Amino acid sequence: MKALFPGTFNPPTLGHLEIIQRAARLCDHLVVAIGESPHKYAATFSVEERMSLLRALTKDMDNVEIISFSGLVIDCAKDLKVDFLLRGLRNGSDFDYEYQMAAANRQMTGIETVFLAASPLYSHLSSTLIREIAVNGHRLHGFIPDAIEAEVFAKLSTITK
Ligand code: COA
C-alpha cells in the first residue's frame, strides 16, 4: 500500500517525525508531500529548505520519499496513485478541520484519509509555536529533532521580531 502524508512542515517538528515514523510502518511506501501553501505563510522556510530538512530526518527510512506539491492534495494523490491519505490528529480542533478536509477529499475522489492520534508528548507542538520560540532567541531542543535543531534555530534566530 502507498500512502500520502501532506503538510506544510514550516518547519518540521518532533510531532511530524513521530507521525512519519509510525506511518512508515503502516504502508509499503510513504510519500511525505510539502504543500507550497502560498496563502498560509510568507514562507519562513522555502520549499527547498523544508525538503532538505525532511530529507535529513528520513534519510534512514527506506520506504519514505519527500516531494513538494502545489494545488489540491487530491490531485497530487491521484497523480501518485496512492491508496490513502494520512494525517496526524493532536486534539479536537484538529479533528474539526480534518473532518471537513477528509470528507471533501473523499467526495471528490473516493480516496480515504487515515488518522494517527499524535503522541501526548507532542500534541501541544505546532510550527508557529516553534517559530515564535526561536525568533525570541530560545533553543529548540525537545521541540524539533536534534538533527535539524541547529539549522532551524540559526535561520529563525536571525529573523527580526
Ligand atoms: N505535531 C506537531 N505539529 C503538528 C502536527 C504534529 N503531529 N500535526 C500538525 N501540526 C501542526 C503544524 O506544525 C502546523 O502548525 P502551524 O499552523 O502553526 O504552522 C499545523 O499543525 C497544521 O499543519 P499541517 O499538518 O502541515 O497542515 P496544514 O493545514 O498546514 O497543511 C495541507 C495541510 C498541506 C494538506 C493543506 O493546507 C494544503 O496545502 N492543501 C492544499 C489545498 C487542498 O487540498 N485543500 C483541501 C481541499 S478539500
Side-chain angles (χ1 to χ4, degrees), residues 3-19:
L4 179 68
F5 176 29
T8 306
F9 307 109
N10 185 40
T13 70
L14 273 170
H16 291 130
L17 180 59
E18 191 239 350
I19 298 290

Side-chain angles (χ1 to χ4, degrees), residues 19-153:
I19 298 290
I20 292 169
Q21 286 166 334
R22 287 166 54 202
R25 292 197 287 270
L26 296 179
C27 55
D28 301 304
H29 188 69
L30 177 68
V31 182
V32 178
I34 302 167
E36 295 183 8
S37 303
H39 58 283
K40 188 167 175 184
Y41 303 110
T44 314
F45 291 89
S46 67
V47 171
E48 292 71 26
E49 286 170 324
R50 287 179 267 157
M51 184 102 71
S52 155
L53 292 169
L54 280 166
R55 288 208 169 120
L57 294 179
T58 57
K59 65 178 165 42
D60 296 325
M61 298 181 207
D62 292 340
N63 66 336
V64 177
E65 179 187 4
I66 313 296
I67 65 162
S68 66
F69 74 99
S70 55
L72 295 184
V73 169
I74 43 122
D75 287 329
C76 177
K78 277 196 299 188
D79 289 348
L80 296 172
K81 298 185 171 46
V82 300
D83 297 291
F84 60 94
L85 301 175
L86 195 134
R87 295 279 291 165
L89 281 180
R90 292 166 299 173
N91 50 42
S93 312
D94 274 0
F95 177 81
D96 291 343
Y97 169 64
E98 296 294 338
Y99 178 86
Q100 190 185 27
M101 256 203 320
N105 286 337
R106 190 156 62 88
Q107 180 178 335
M108 285 186 282
T109 59
I111 296 178
E112 295 283 1
T113 303
V114 171
F115 295 106
L116 290 184
S119 160
L121 285 175
Y122 307 125
S123 60
H124 59 297
L125 298 186
S126 77
S127 299
T128 300
L129 182 89
I130 278 154
R131 292 196 301 273
E132 194 165 14
I133 291 170
V135 164
N136 285 283
H138 294 269
R139 299 300 302 225
L140 294 167
H141 296 295
F143 292 96
I144 68 168
D146 285 345
I148 60 170
E149 196 276 340
E151 186 179 344
V152 170
F153 177 77

